[in-house]
Amino acid sequence: MIERISFSDYLKSMVGQEKAKEILSMKQKEKENQTIIISGQNGITGKSTLKRLLRKHGYRVLEPFECIEIVLSQELQDPIPEFTRLVD
């Protein structure tokens, strides 16, 4: 028979003491407004299980395949303040 484990202990075993403490100390508003992205190598590493358990405990969680990443790395030469008002 497999023994039950607390969410806190599971989280510590997966992400380490420091990261688990950071996640577990999040207030409800932070859980609602911050998204946790779980990434790592392909294969059976526990990413999806961790995602499901975090969601079960009220966290917003995504894996990279659920996202579209846009990287902007070229600095604008002539930025226009309030530019969003000019775009339909």
Side-chain angles (χ1 to χ4, degrees):
M1 182 174 193
I2 298 176
E3 227 176 280
R4 294 181 63 83
I5 182 172
S6 71
F7 174 64
S8 175
D9 287 345
Y10 170 76
L11 192 57
K12 289 173 191 170
S13 75
M14 291 299 289
V15 302
Q17 187 79 24
E18 295 251 339
K19 188 59 74 176
K21 184 178 177 182
E22 180 183 347
I23 291 169
L24 293 168
S25 68
M26 291 173 73
K27 305 223 181 318
Q28 185 58 39
K29 197 71 164 166
E30 292 172 308
K31 286 179 167 184
E32 294 169 4
N33 292 323
Q34 288 186 328
T35 302
I36 297 170
I37 297 177
I38 300 172
S39 61
Q41 69 182 37
N42 287 337
I44 302 171
T45 60
K47 294 181 300 290
S48 295
T49 299
L50 178 58
K51 176 182 71 175
R52 283 192 300 273
L53 285 168
L54 284 165
R55 284 181 175 171
K56 178 180 173 181
H57 286 269
Y59 297 89
R60 289 176 38 178
V61 187
L62 295 172
E63 290 184 67
F65 73 87
E66 299 172 297
C67 306
I68 297 174
E69 181 179 10
I70 299 171
V71 177
L72 300 177
S73 55
Q74 190 170 14
E75 198 169 315
L76 296 174
Q77 297 303 310
D78 300 306
I80 301 170
E82 304 290 333
F83 186 74
T84 54
R85 292 190 300 169
L86 301 174
V87 180
D88 293 347

